[in-house]
Amino acid sequence: MKLFEKSAADLSAMLQNKECSAVELTQDVLAQIDAAEPKVGAYVTRCEDCFEQAKAIDKARLAGEELHPLAGIPIGIKDNISTKGIRTTCSSHMLDNYIPPFDASVLQPVRKAGMIITGKMNMDEFAMGSSTETSYFHQTHNPHNLECVPGGSSGGSAAAVAAGEAILTLGSDTGGSIRQPASLCGVVGLKPTYGSVSRYGLVAFASSLDQIGPLGKSVKDVAMLQSLIQGHDNMDATSAYRSYPNLLDKLDGNVQGLRIGVPKEYFGAGIDKCVKEAVYNSIQMLEKNGAIVKEISLPSTDYAINTYYIIASAEASSNLARFDGVRYGYRTDSYDSLTEMYEKTRSEGFGDEVKRRIMLGTFVLSSGFYDAYYKKAKLVQRRIAQEFSAAFQECDVIITPTSPSPAFRIGENIGDPLKMYYNDVCTVTVNIAGLPAISVPCGKSSDGLPLGMQLIGNKFAEQTILNAAYGYEQLVGGFQVIPEAFCTGGANA
Amino acid sequence: MKIDIAHIAKLSRLRIESDKMEKFETDMSAIVDMVDRLPEMAEELALDVENPMHLRTDEAQDHKFRRDEMLSNAPEVQSGCLVVPKTVE
């Protein structure tokens, strides 16, 4: 087994026991990137200084310095998270040449821990999409079937983990953008509680819903990275004041007595039969091992997609007003007036999906429509949150499918925005209510495509959902994340 | 619902090419029809009293950025200032 196939937890132990060096591990991952990237296309930008980063870690370890367990582990960063000195494009023509003069707050612990930053991951433009097809640069392919999408918007982050092109990655999740690609690529992805990871330096899409989170090969890997990046930050006014214990300390996988709520609304007509069966089977497995399963109801789920697209687009229309061709980013070549410069810059710099969302947001906030759309959506948001809150009185975790279907073919849904939006039907409520949720692999479709199960927790109950997910992972004997074609001697897909 | 794309685009400081106008109109109408379906709610929006916002003290702090760093991404700079088209005659 090559090093890139191993989990971060195993590699961490190997590095600490000097069974391998950071340089060797980096070399292995970079070789895998060279082999897999022409087929997968997970990266927008690759970092040139990986070896220098790795050499510094090895030197520090040899000198006997006390290092973080994640020191020397290669990590890819979604391209909407600001990285000082490293191009950050949001996969948009608008930010083609943008090099941030500062690091996002999450990058500080990542750099301090000595993780090796391999590069910036492809995504849907400004995180608007569920297939990574709206990227300005190139398509990312699903390592399990190269003709299929990796999901989105953190498609590059998920595909890279699945192809062994990074050991861990960071993504961002506004309506499912970590969990849905994790599900479609067969990896583990955590959307943390709103406020538990700083958003400072994350290019804003919908500020009240956006959250940065980790993707990896196992629940333990994701718990390690989440423990590193969580915490209060003065630079983010919505950052939560509380203590954040290390999530590995109590990761025992014990599901005895765990109360699981199964909301019937998430298993309706729009969900593929293979997805429902896989999730029900997994729930049964947990029940056989001591969990208590109860059917629950979250009646406002029916309005979730509508509510989400109103709130998210309204915030996007305001957040993306900053891209005007004045201070940074793209500016059109020829113009006679300031208004013409704005209009031409934005029309040439943004793709069609971004324009659609900006216009939808402008529409729902415009005079005469605000009460009918935005205000009503905010009220439904409160009701959805209240229903979750009531449900968590009688259960510890809520289990649902992550995505209504396995990965679909590239080009299949891109022409129909409504079909594309429906991909988020099981995930948007979590963002609307500000809750944490994790997606773990739970079997495969008849075509061999990964399926995902979502475990939702109460606010700041990351430990509970990680424990339940870890328990499940142990029951199934671990997750086989990297498809055979990309394993040792592979990249033959 | 039929959406006046040209008007919304103008408010959004966007221009939609004429060959794409029809597709945008169709898509936007379908999206607005979808999001339109929300229940009637009698309640009013209120501040979240259980989770009040912590405000930091209003103190000026020295920032860490240099002027040239902040201007390095700007499309056009002259004498340390951003260049924009003339707005006042």
Side-chain angles (χ1 to χ4, degrees):
Chain A
M1 194 191 249
K2 299 271 258 177
L3 295 175
F4 71 80
E5 293 173 55
K6 295 180 184 293
S7 69
D10 287 348
L11 291 166
S12 169
M14 287 177 72
L15 286 163
Q16 287 177 69
N17 298 329
K18 300 195 174 68
E19 290 167 46
C20 75
S21 69
V23 167
E24 284 167 342
L25 171 56
T26 303
Q27 218 154 22
D28 200 59
V29 171
L30 293 184
Q32 178 66 2
I33 298 177
D34 287 338
E37 191 58 5
K39 300 178 181 90
V40 178
Y43 283 83
V44 172
T45 304
R46 286 177 61 176
C47 290
E48 304 290 333
D49 66 341
C50 296
F51 279 118
E52 282 68 42
Q53 296 179 56
K55 276 180 201 160
I57 293 301
D58 284 341
K59 200 174 155 196
R61 200 182 301 277
L62 271 177
E65 281 179 39
E66 199 174 317
L67 298 177
H68 189 278
L70 286 170
I73 304 285
I75 183 170
I77 312 289
K78 188 175 179 180
D79 211 18
N80 59 351
I81 299 173
S82 302
T83 40
K84 186 174 181 176
I86 308 170
R87 189 169 79 122
T88 298
T89 70
C90 292
S91 288
S92 177
H93 185 33
M94 186 61 91
L95 290 174
D96 215 340
N97 296 313
Y98 174 65
I99 298 174
F102 71 106
D103 265 335
S105 289
V106 284
L107 259 292
Q108 289 167 15
V110 166
R111 288 194 201 267
K112 199 168 163 227
M115 297 189 78
I116 314 296
I117 298 169
T118 51
K120 303 300 293 286
M121 315 316 297
N122 199 18
M123 53 186 278
D124 279 295
E125 185 180 8
F126 283 104
M128 296 175 188
S130 309
S131 64
T132 316
E133 287 171 288
T134 70
S135 166
Y136 171 70
F137 299 107
H138 55 257
Q139 175 65 50
T140 297
H141 300 261
N142 191 317
H144 291 267
N145 180 339
L146 296 171
E147 288 173 12
C148 289
V149 302
S153 65
S154 311
S157 299
V161 171
E165 294 188 57
I167 304 301
L168 287 164
T169 54
L170 285 180
S172 72
D173 191 316
T174 305
S177 283
I178 288 174
R179 293 158 287 154
Q180 186 256 14
S183 170
L184 269 47
C185 289
V187 307
V188 181
L190 172 71
K191 183 258 161 201
T193 308
Y194 185 76
S196 67
V197 178
S198 171
R199 289 183 300 107
Y200 177 71
L202 171 69
V203 180
F205 160 15
S207 314
S208 78
L209 308 169
D210 295 342
Q211 188 64 173
I212 295 173
L215 295 99
K217 292 191 187 85
S218 70
V219 175
K220 204 169 181 180
D221 284 14
V222 160
M224 283 174 92
L225 187 51
Q226 174 62 15
S227 298
L228 179 72
I229 61 172
Q230 67 186 359
H232 177 259
D233 179 22
N234 276 330
M235 299 299 283
D236 175 358
T238 57
S239 177
Y241 285 82
R242 54 188 295 119
S243 61
Y244 294 87
N246 188 312
L247 297 159
L248 281 184
D249 295 346
K250 288 185 179 164
L251 195 68
D252 57 15
N254 181 15
V255 296
Q256 192 72 39
L258 179 79
R259 298 173 303 162
I260 299 173
V262 182
K264 56 185 179 200
E265 292 84 359
Y266 287 73
F267 293 83
I271 313 294
D272 278 12
K273 195 167 162 248
C274 66
V275 176
K276 280 190 240 187
E277 278 175 8
V279 176
Y280 278 135
N281 287 342
S282 306
I283 294 170
Q284 262 177 16
M285 189 184 270
L286 288 164
E287 191 175 24
K288 273 187 200 148
N289 284 275
I292 301 152
V293 178
K294 184 176 179 178
E295 186 178 285
I296 60 166
S297 176
L298 297 164
S300 297
T301 304
D302 205 21
Y303 303 113
I305 287 270
N306 318 8
T307 306
Y308 170 77
Y309 276 93
I310 292 172
I311 296 173
S313 302
E315 292 185 22
S317 73
S318 170
N319 274 326
L320 271 64
R322 73 191 62 177
F323 300 103
D324 55 7
V326 174
R327 290 152 299 158
Y328 41 73
Y330 175 78
R331 181 190 281 193
T332 187
D333 289 337
S334 66
Y335 44 85
D336 288 326
S337 67
L338 188 67
T339 306
E340 191 184 13
M341 187 194 81
Y342 288 154
E343 289 182 354
K344 284 184 74 182
T345 292
R346 289 163 62 77
S347 300
E348 292 160 16
F350 291 138
D352 285 352
E353 182 57 27
V354 174
K355 288 178 194 162
R356 250 193 302 275
R357 303 232 193 163
I358 291 174
M359 289 200 290
L360 176 62
T362 304
F363 172 75
V364 298
L365 292 175
S366 63
S367 172
F369 295 105
Y370 172 86
D371 280 357
Y373 292 98
Y374 187 73
K375 191 178 163 196
K376 215 189 245 185
K378 291 299 284 181
L379 287 166
V380 178
Q381 174 179 34
R382 193 171 61 184
R383 187 181 286 180
I384 290 172
Q386 284 165 345
E387 285 173 10
F388 269 111
S389 193
F392 283 118
Q393 300 292 316
E394 48 180 339
C395 53
D396 305 309
V397 296
I398 292 173
I399 295 187
T400 73
T402 306
S403 168
S405 69
F408 45 92
R409 293 196 167 259
I410 293 166
E412 192 179 325
N413 292 339
I414 194 71
D416 184 346
L418 289 190
K419 261 175 95 180
M420 191 64 89
Y421 295 174
Y422 190 73
N423 277 291
D424 304 329
V425 67
C426 300
T427 48
V428 288
T429 48
V430 167
N431 302 74
I432 289 172
L435 304 172
I438 188 169
S439 178
V440 293
C442 71
K444 295 217 165 140
S445 70
S446 55
D447 300 333
L449 289 167
L451 305 171
M453 166 169 79
Q454 173 173 241
L455 297 93
I456 307 169
N458 207 348
K459 277 189 185 171
F460 300 104
E462 271 82 353
Q463 188 76 66
T464 311
I465 56 170
L466 284 165
N467 258 341
Y470 188 51
Y472 174 73
E473 184 181 5
Q474 287 178 319
L475 288 174
V476 296
F479 303 134
Q480 172 58 39
V481 168
I482 303 182
E484 211 163 301
F486 284 92
C487 286
T488 310
N492 297 324
Chain B
M1 187 194 290
K2 188 157 163 50
I3 308 295
D4 184 350
I5 293 288
H7 174 62
I8 297 296
K10 192 167 174 246
L11 290 177
S12 312
R13 291 277 188 264
L14 288 169
R15 287 182 182 184
I16 305 297
E17 300 90 330
S18 52
D19 59 325
K20 284 189 173 172
M21 196 55 115
E22 200 182 324
K23 166 95 173 122
F24 265 94
E25 269 172 2
T26 317
D27 286 346
M28 280 292 288
S29 292
I31 295 168
V32 171
D33 286 344
M34 176 194 82
V35 301
D36 202 25
R37 206 179 48 80
L38 284 178
E40 283 308 320
M41 310 274 285
E43 306 115 87
E44 278 300 315
L45 284 172
L47 286 174
D48 184 356
V49 284
E50 283 168 34
N51 300 291
M53 205 170 185
H54 291 253
L55 297 176
R56 59 174 181 254
T57 47
D58 187 13
E59 284 169 354
Q61 286 176 358
D62 288 337
H63 62 76
K64 57 191 173 187
F65 299 110
R66 296 195 321 267
R67 189 183 190 91
D68 60 321
E69 262 182 339
M70 296 309 282
L71 290 173
S72 62
N73 280 294
E76 200 180 345
V77 174
Q78 211 174 13
S79 311
C81 295
L82 298 163
V83 178
V84 291
K86 198 170 169 183
T87 50
V88 181
E89 289 302 327

